[in-house]
Amino acid sequence: MTSFAVVVTSYNYRAFVGTAIDSALAQSRAPMQVIVVDDGSTDGTPAHLRERYGHDPRVTLVCGENGGQLVAFQRGVAHARADVVCFLDADDRWAPDYLAHLGELYDRRRDVDFVFSDMQLFGDEQRWEGYAEHSRDLGFTAISTYALMHWYGAPTSALSMRALWARRTLELPAELGQTWRLSADNCLVFGASVLGARKYYLRTGAVHYRIHGNNGWWGRQTPATTYLNRFRSRCLIGIYARSIGLDERCLESVKHEFRTKPDPSWREARHYAKLARLRHGSWLRNLQHAASILWSTLKRRRPGAATRPATD
């Protein structure tokens, strides 16, 4: 069976972090490790953690100087020994069956590298958020992410990946620690896509994402912060791409990447049709490629057509 390491990162969240850790420990499919990284909190969190979990063999406490979210991820993953690493923010929580849902998929699909889930928002807002209404095998997403910055993922607490991919995505220059003090889930999501992980969206209903006044990013967007986040994300994608020699020539393989998706949505088909039109060469040939992508998807969705459905 697939083993799980849970990395819980916290900064000045003493009021919430115990709930997050307890939700990881209460999983019906128990994690092999729960790694709690305190990122230099000044609200008494380190002492609180040592008192509450210091003698619990299931919990590894990692307390250090403040370095930001990316550095906290790196510290946590460095202690991971399990097959899959799951990330959990200190102000969020999981329902008891979250790892059971993930485990069933990871056990059965050894080719899947990265799984993300939907979320139930609670606290100051209550609503459901997810990538799609149904679970979906997204195949490979490197070209789509590189060319259009498409985000195949979710916030931190709904992300998991095989440990090899967690380590690869976090092998970044030290100076990026300051750039990604917040929103470092971009490193996990963009990095896994560009480096070549196979992704899967699994609707679980088990990730509870807390909305509150102290959220570092959620609900505080302005035109300036939106621009800076996109600018930094484009630079980040470039770093990953250069590390493996990925460049604009990848657009020649758009159709091949699209074919890795067993049951693409119409939205995804339109997305890849746009990518096909960006290829170098004859505009007519590019248009034919785009039309082929759309037509193949339309045929699958016709009543009575034989399709290979995404597995929930």
Side-chain angles (χ1 to χ4, degrees):
M1 293 178 66
T2 304
S3 60
F4 291 95
V6 180
V7 174
V8 182
T9 53
S10 178
Y11 175 66
N12 285 347
Y13 273 168
R14 176 175 175 173
F16 303 129
V17 65
T19 299
I21 297 169
D22 289 346
S23 76
L25 294 173
Q27 292 297 300
S28 59
R29 179 163 173 167
M32 174 180 169
Q33 299 173 278
V34 176
I35 304 161
V36 183
V37 183
D38 182 79
D39 188 35
S41 294
T42 58
D43 64 347
T45 300
H48 172 68
L49 291 173
R50 293 187 186 101
E51 178 182 357
R52 186 164 175 177
Y53 302 103
H55 301 289
D56 191 328
R58 300 172 297 173
V59 179
T60 300
L61 298 180
V62 182
C63 299
E65 296 181 358
N66 180 254
Q69 191 177 34
L70 174 57
V71 172
F73 285 166
Q74 292 168 331
R75 290 171 178 166
V77 169
H79 286 78
R81 300 293 178 266
D83 300 320
V84 169
V85 178
C86 303
F87 296 87
L88 177 59
D89 275 340
D91 52 342
D92 297 334
R93 67 190 185 211
W94 293 335
D97 59 351
Y98 177 60
L99 291 185
H101 286 296
L102 292 184
E104 182 181 353
L105 177 61
Y106 277 115
D107 289 347
R108 178 168 40 86
R109 291 288 306 272
R110 296 292 176 175
D111 59 325
V112 170
D113 306 304
F114 181 110
V115 179
F116 64 101
S117 180
D118 57 324
M119 305 185 305
Q120 302 286 343
L121 273 58
F122 72 103
D124 292 348
E125 298 180 35
Q126 292 84 36
R127 68 175 185 275
W128 174 88
E129 287 217 353
Y131 186 83
E133 289 294 329
H134 304 287
S135 299
R136 191 174 297 277
D137 183 343
L138 297 169
F140 294 97
T141 58
I143 300 173
S144 175
T145 299
Y146 172 76
L148 297 179
M149 290 179 59
H150 195 59
W151 206 64
Y152 293 92
T156 301
S157 298
L159 301 179
S160 67
M161 64 188 77
R162 297 195 186 271
L164 169 66
W165 288 97
R167 289 190 285 269
R168 288 190 65 190
T169 59
L170 295 174
E171 289 176 352
L172 290 166
E175 58 268 23
L176 288 188
Q178 291 302 309
T179 303
W180 296 102
R181 293 184 64 84
L182 296 175
S183 303
D185 46 5
N186 280 336
C187 302
L188 303 174
V189 172
F190 287 138
S193 283
V194 175
L195 294 176
R198 187 181 186 109
K199 292 196 167 184
Y200 198 106
Y201 166 68
L202 180 68
R203 182 164 177 175
T204 67
V207 176
H208 297 169
Y209 185 96
R210 189 190 305 266
I211 303 298
H212 58 94
N214 293 324
N215 284 58
W217 183 86
W218 192 279
R220 296 185 178 184
Q221 293 305 288
T222 67
T225 57
T226 298
Y227 163 74
L228 288 172
N229 190 59
R230 289 188 61 81
F231 176 77
R232 291 165 181 162
S233 294
R234 169 47 64 193
C235 295
L236 178 69
I237 289 169
I239 290 171
Y240 287 120
R242 287 191 295 274
S243 74
I244 59 170
L246 184 68
D247 59 25
E248 288 77 8
R249 289 172 293 183
C250 68
L251 290 169
E252 298 302 314
S253 300
V254 164
K255 282 184 65 175
H256 298 288
E257 182 169 289
F258 182 71
R259 288 171 179 165
T260 69
K261 306 169 190 300
D263 184 30
S265 66
W266 184 244
R267 180 183 68 173
E268 189 80 334
R270 288 187 287 119
H271 189 75
Y272 274 82
K274 179 179 179 179
L275 283 169
R277 296 196 298 273
L278 297 177
R279 297 167 68 250
H280 295 297
S282 164
W283 68 268
L284 180 58
R285 183 64 174 162
N286 290 350
L287 187 61
Q288 290 173 336
H289 275 274
S292 173
I293 289 171
L294 294 173
W295 176 242
S296 67
T297 306
L298 183 62
K299 286 195 298 183
R300 295 184 188 208
R301 311 193 86 74
R302 290 170 57 187
T307 62
R308 178 183 169 190
T311 305
D312 289 348

